[in-house]
Amino acid sequence: MMDIDFNEYKLRCELRGHDDDVRGICVCTDEHIATSSRDRTIRIWSLDSDNKRKYSPSKILLGHTSFVGPLAWISPNEEYPEGRLISGSMDTSVFVWNLTNGEIVQALKGHKMQVTGVTLDNEDIVSSSVDQTLKRWRNGQLVESWEAHQSPIQAVLRLPSGELVSGSSDTTLKLWKGNTSLRTFAGHADTVRGLAVMPDLGFLSASHDGSIRLWALSGEVLLEMVGHTSIVYSVDAHASGLIVSGSEDRHAKIWKDGVCVQSLEHPGCVWDAKFLENGDIVTACSDGVARVWTVRDGMIADQMEIDAFDSQLSQYKLSRKKVGGMKLDELPGLDSLTLPGTSDGQTKVVREGDNGVAYVWNMKDQRWDKIGEVVDGPEGVADRPLHDGVQYDFVFDVDIGDGEPIRKLPYNRSDNPYDAADKWLLKENLPLAYRQQIVEFILQNSGQKDFNFNPSFRDPFTGANAYVPGQSSHTAATTAKPLYKHIPKRGVLVFDVAQYDGILKKMTEFNNTLRADPVHTDKSLTEVEVSRVGAMVKILKDTSHYHATSFAGMDISLILKVLQAWPPAMMFPATDLVRMLVLHPHGASLLIKHVEGNNDLLLDLIKKVTEDSALPANLLTTVRVLVNLFKNPSFHYWLQRHHSQILDAFSNCYSSPNKNLQLAYSTLLLNYAVLLIEKKDQEGQAQVLSAALQIAEEDAADVDSKFRSLVAIGSLMLEGLVKKIAIDFEVESIAKSAKASKEAKIVEVGADIDLVIRQP
């Protein structure tokens, strides 16, 4: 056991190289650190041979297709002299890496949703996931899987005594011996996000409720540490007894005997924090930088580096600080006071250093008189405006006109708008005739156009329901309901436009190629069969007579022959024909007979087109077939039953450079959201949510694809069963990013999601 007398931690060095949030840290040794990132990479940092205070990048591990989170280290052996690294990702996979050459040794596939935790259990790997399961892997093979919680699992940890602990969004922790639950630990008020061993005492948990708890294996809470002002994402302990935690509140806090002894401020969210064996601390920040902190005098960064970090921190705080609802860095400087005011009493807020200072124009003396510093509410609640010292959801500027000054109208979403209007008109000594205008103004600007009246509400003057001068009283009634612009999605989308001439031409061309090839001539269509394809096209073109037309049984058999026998590179025109066939009532009824038995045409097709040599044209036409199946209720059971296989098979389409394929895949997710909300399938909804979040986070995603994924997310949160899961997985940051888009419809659906988040 080491004993570290507590001294103030100071910056030792910064590990710069990631292009996005640093999400996870793994301390391999004091000389080697691994970091994972939202940029989909893992970086290995090694102690600099020339400067023992610093770490230099030594390897970049590439392979994950979405952001990488949890990491764990496997000690060296003869085969792997530098050891191995385990990583889990949003892409649902667990990879084992050879640290000598940076190659993937094992790719562990089996989770249906994001992998949230990995831990080493002797020679086995145990992983946790949003899919609510724990999985055990041995020698690269899945040997055990069990549903461990009824909500997403956020972390898993092996204890020195051999048991496993899991933490979940259901607010509980569970102790496991194998796959047998020994005990459930209840006490946190929100999601359990992080776990760590506390040497000789038990284990620690970090929670979205802002607290850290120390548990004995008996289930007793030995210590509760409260001090963070937001979600706590991670916790770690050192042999000295010190504890470190990382939080959304931008601080890594250091605890001794349950007391916070130091807070390390960061220019962004602190996703992870870990101790080195020597007592130094590594933190992972959303600004893309990992930092090492030390108490050892000889290892502290030089003054230039410390000043640069302090400057970065100051700039970050400046960019976030608000004064009177405006960002501080957007305020004019002192030089703006050289311009005279336009009226007596005019006020102006300017930036002075890190503060906003108000001045008033003195017309008589022709000068700006200083009033004083302007402050907003405390950080974290500053987004809610103040009026007369009270916070509200909105404080509107109301222009009455007729030369009257602008009035401030405070309003909360939970208020009855008529009641709020009446109180405000009385306070401002304005005529009640303005009431309806004010109510409509409130509803328009608070996004509550769809307002129903509450029968319990009585006009304070007439005793009746809301009174509008010159009109009869309203009799219907309830509290204001938020109005969303794009959610929930009603109905499904289809791809119902086809280039029939192009399909026929391509199929004929490919058929001639097969006929001329002695090896494949038996797979070609006869002249009669080619004419039947032409007849099918003619029926499909005549959409106005869909319900009066039908196909021959041989037509479906003919298409099956093409899909099963033709080489993959020649399949796509036939698949495109199937896309239109499923929209025809009789065509769909014939096709469904081929998916209900052991020989499932569609599952075979999916397997064939998603094999290693998958061609974009095949992927595109097949995904569009699946999208169109949603139009016919007869396929709904099949779609629900096979949702996991289908979404897994096409999971990489979100990052395809082919914009049409991106759009088809996002439409598939949107249709699945609509169906699974109707079926109240929570597990399915969670998988669709996870896939849609990947698209929403993809910077290169096509605008329409991103829009449809955001509509799916918002609909699942509003009418589905996964709102809490979405909030746990940072949907708020996705909504904020959408609201900052240059595309109007992305901004609108981002605002919809933001409104859902804020609803109780």
Side-chain angles (χ1 to χ4, degrees):
M1 294 283 287
M2 295 177 60
D3 185 25
I4 299 176
D5 292 333
F6 183 76
N7 295 311
E8 290 279 313
Y9 275 87
K10 294 181 181 178
L11 183 67
R12 172 177 164 181
C13 64
E14 294 186 325
L15 313 183
R16 290 183 172 271
H18 283 295
D19 296 327
D20 212 331
D21 300 42
V22 183
R23 295 297 300 259
I25 298 164
C26 179
V27 175
C28 306
T29 65
D30 278 359
E31 289 77 36
H32 302 285
I33 299 167
T35 55
S36 64
S37 171
R38 189 182 287 271
D39 67 10
R40 307 177 187 179
T41 70
I42 300 160
R43 290 178 181 258
I44 309 299
W45 311 83
S46 300
L47 201 60
D48 195 307
S49 56
D50 296 326
N51 185 345
K52 295 297 183 182
R53 178 173 64 79
K54 295 189 174 185
Y55 288 83
S56 301
S58 57
K59 288 185 184 69
I60 301 177
L61 309 183
L62 301 171
H64 282 296
T65 58
S66 189
F67 76 72
V68 192
L71 301 172
W73 188 56
I74 305 175
S75 300
N77 58 21
E78 286 187 13
E79 187 177 0
Y80 301 103
E82 291 187 33
R84 286 164 289 167
L85 192 72
I86 311 166
S87 62
S89 168
M90 179 85 171
D91 65 15
T92 75
S93 61
V94 177
F95 288 166
V96 181
W97 306 82
N98 180 349
L99 292 183
T100 302
N101 56 21
E103 294 181 353
I104 298 171
V105 179
Q106 295 169 351
L108 311 180
K109 306 278 189 175
H111 281 296
K112 296 177 181 177
M113 298 180 68
Q114 177 177 348
V115 179
T116 54
V118 290
T119 191
L120 196 62
D121 186 12
N122 295 322
E123 298 298 315
D124 295 346
I125 294 168
V126 177
S127 56
S128 63
S129 169
V130 177
D131 65 16
Q132 305 177 12
T133 67
L134 291 173
K135 295 188 186 295
R136 180 179 295 276
W137 313 83
R138 186 172 299 152
N139 299 322
Q141 300 297 316
L142 179 64
V143 295
E144 197 173 27
S145 177
W146 67 100
E147 187 170 300
H149 290 264
Q150 294 302 307
S151 292
I153 306 172
Q154 304 287 0
V156 63
L157 173 72
R158 184 189 185 273
L159 301 176
S161 51
E163 297 92 347
L164 295 171
V165 179
S166 58
S168 167
S169 292
D170 65 12
T171 76
T172 70
L173 303 95
K174 289 192 176 184
L175 186 68
W176 303 89
K177 192 71 175 176
N179 62 5
T180 302
S181 177
L182 303 178
R183 185 170 290 110
T184 298
F185 300 77
H188 280 298
D190 206 334
T191 296
V192 178
R193 190 59 175 264
L195 297 169
V197 171
M198 185 70 185
D200 303 322
L201 286 175
F203 61 91
L204 295 154
S205 61
S207 171
H208 284 201
D209 65 14
S211 72
I212 301 117
R213 288 184 174 222
L214 171 60
W215 305 82
L217 292 190
S218 62
E220 181 185 357
V221 178
L222 302 177
L223 206 58
E224 182 174 19
M225 288 154 273
V226 179
H228 283 293
T229 58
S230 190
I231 293 170
V232 187
Y233 288 116
S234 62
V235 65
D236 194 32
H238 189 261
S240 64
L242 289 181
I243 293 167
V244 65
S245 55
S247 168
E248 177 77 24
D249 66 12
R250 302 189 299 105
H251 288 83
K253 288 186 180 291
I254 301 156
W255 310 80
K256 186 171 185 179
D257 300 326
V259 176
C260 179
V261 290
Q262 189 180 358
S263 289
L264 301 172
E265 190 174 9
H266 287 66
C269 162
V270 181
W271 287 113
D272 200 3
K274 291 283 193 297
F275 279 105
L276 295 174
E277 189 177 349
N278 61 26
D280 286 2
I281 292 170
V282 189
T283 56
C285 184
S286 63
D287 69 345
V289 182
R291 294 175 175 86
V292 186
W293 308 80
T294 188
V295 294
R296 297 175 292 157
D297 289 340
M299 303 301 285
I300 295 171
D302 61 41
Q303 194 58 47
M304 186 179 297
E305 292 171 277
I306 292 173
D307 289 346
F309 173 71
D310 289 343
S311 175
Q312 184 187 356
L313 195 58
S314 177
Q315 287 298 315
Y316 178 82
K317 289 161 70 175
L318 191 68
S319 70
R320 287 171 56 89
K321 187 172 181 179
K322 290 187 176 180
V323 174
M326 293 181 62
K327 288 186 177 180
L328 183 61
D329 60 353
E330 294 175 354
L331 292 176
L334 280 169
D335 56 348
S336 67
L337 297 179
T338 58
L339 299 173
T342 56
S343 61
D344 193 42
Q346 177 189 353
T347 58
K348 180 181 285 191
V349 180
V350 300
R351 186 178 70 251
E352 291 187 22
D354 287 348
N355 298 305
V357 179
Y359 286 81
V360 62
W361 178 247
N362 183 327
M363 184 67 83
K364 180 183 176 183
D365 297 335
Q366 289 289 294
R367 71 180 186 212
W368 289 100
D369 291 333
K370 188 173 184 176
I371 300 173
E373 185 178 334
V374 180
V375 295
D376 269 343
E379 187 174 1
V381 294
D383 289 339
R384 298 188 69 219
L386 285 168
H387 180 66
D388 291 341
V390 179
Q391 281 192 320
Y392 293 89
D393 291 333
F394 304 96
V395 176
F396 301 120
D397 288 332
V398 183
D399 187 357
I400 301 297
D402 300 326
E404 291 285 332
I406 298 292
R407 315 290 179 100
K408 296 289 185 183
L409 193 167
Y411 178 72
N412 287 317
R413 288 189 184 90
S414 58
D415 292 344
N416 183 298
Y418 281 90
D419 196 16
D422 284 331
K423 288 177 181 176
W424 183 76
L425 290 168
L426 285 172
K427 180 176 181 291
E428 297 290 338
N429 196 27
L430 293 168
L432 289 177
Y434 284 137
R435 178 192 289 135
Q436 190 61 24
Q437 285 177 265
I438 296 302
V439 168
E440 288 172 1
F441 175 87
I442 289 172
L443 298 180
Q444 177 72 31
N445 288 281
S446 62
Q448 295 175 284
K449 296 176 188 176
D450 186 19
F451 175 76
N452 297 308
F453 302 100
N454 189 333
S456 64
F457 173 70
R458 291 292 178 265
D459 186 283
F461 303 99
T462 67
N465 293 114
Y467 169 72
V468 181
Q471 297 183 20
S472 58
S473 295
H474 292 268
T475 53
T478 81
T479 323
K481 245 177 145 185
L483 178 67
Y484 303 97
K485 195 168 183 71
H486 297 287
I487 62 172
K489 178 72 178 77
R490 303 294 186 198
V492 297
L493 301 175
V494 294
F495 293 100
D496 56 2
V497 177
Q499 301 296 325
Y500 288 110
D501 293 342
I503 291 173
L504 270 177
K505 182 180 178 182
K506 209 68 185 171
M507 286 190 70
T508 303
E509 176 190 319
F510 286 155
N511 192 59
N512 292 338
T513 301
L514 290 172
R515 188 178 295 169
D517 185 345
V519 178
H520 296 296
T521 188
D522 60 319
K523 298 175 182 176
S524 64
L525 303 181
T526 65
E527 291 297 333
V528 173
E529 288 173 329
V530 171
S531 68
R532 280 310 306 167
V533 174
M536 291 174 68
V537 166
K538 187 175 180 181
I539 293 171
L540 292 173
K541 275 185 173 182
D542 190 10
T543 54
S544 60
H545 294 92
Y546 261 10
H547 293 280
T549 55
S550 61
F551 295 93
M554 69 170 288
D555 293 339
I556 301 299
S557 300
L558 178 59
I559 294 298
L560 289 179
K561 174 183 176 180
V562 172
L563 294 178
Q564 291 169 344
W566 282 21
M570 297 181 175
M571 286 172 55
F572 64 89
T575 313
D576 215 21
L577 198 60
V578 175
R579 167 174 69 92
M580 304 309 294
L581 187 68
V582 301
L583 295 177
H584 187 287
H586 187 245
S589 68
L590 291 175
L591 185 68
I592 200 167
K593 295 175 184 176
H594 295 275
V595 301
E596 293 178 327
N598 293 328
N599 298 318
D600 190 319
L601 157 73
L602 291 175
L603 289 184
D604 289 345
L605 175 64
I606 290 168
K607 182 178 179 183
K608 187 173 181 180
V609 303
T610 55
E611 286 174 345
D612 292 341
S613 57
L615 302 171
N618 285 344
L619 293 173
L620 175 62
T621 51
T622 306
V623 173
R624 285 177 170 177
V625 169
L626 295 169
V627 166
N628 285 3
L629 290 179
F630 286 86
K631 189 72 173 175
N632 193 315
S634 301
F635 286 95
H636 285 182
Y637 172 74
W638 183 88
L639 286 162
Q640 183 182 7
R641 180 184 173 194
H642 296 292
H643 77 266
S644 186
Q645 291 165 269
I646 292 168
L647 294 178
D648 285 348
F650 296 101
S651 60
N652 290 330
C653 292
Y654 82 95
S655 59
S656 169
N658 185 316
K659 301 298 184 185
N660 290 327
L661 180 54
Q662 279 187 28
L663 182 63
Y665 177 64
S666 64
T667 309
L668 177 68
L669 296 180
L670 183 53
N671 283 357
Y672 256 125
V674 172
L675 175 65
L676 298 175
I677 288 170
E678 178 191 332
K679 301 296 184 185
K680 296 182 170 56
D681 183 338
Q682 183 175 12
E683 185 272 332
Q685 290 176 31
Q687 188 174 2
V688 174
L689 174 72
S690 178
L693 287 170
Q694 281 188 306
I695 300 175
E697 288 193 319
E698 180 67 35
D699 292 336
D702 171 69
V703 170
D704 289 327
S705 302
K706 183 164 285 194
F707 174 72
R708 291 184 182 183
S709 72
L710 289 167
V711 172
I713 292 166
S715 299
L716 288 164
M717 291 174 66
L718 181 62
E719 294 204 332
L721 305 167
V722 292
K723 178 178 175 181
K724 184 168 177 23
I725 297 174
I727 291 172
D728 282 351
F729 285 89
E730 307 143 44
V731 74
E732 189 169 2
S733 67
I734 288 172
K736 285 181 180 176
S737 176
K739 287 164 67 179
S741 171
K742 294 177 181 177
E743 298 290 335
K745 63 183 181 181
I746 301 290
V747 173
E748 290 166 354
V749 73
D752 282 351
I753 294 172
D754 189 55
L755 191 52
V756 176
I757 293 168
R758 296 175 190 278
Q759 293 303 306

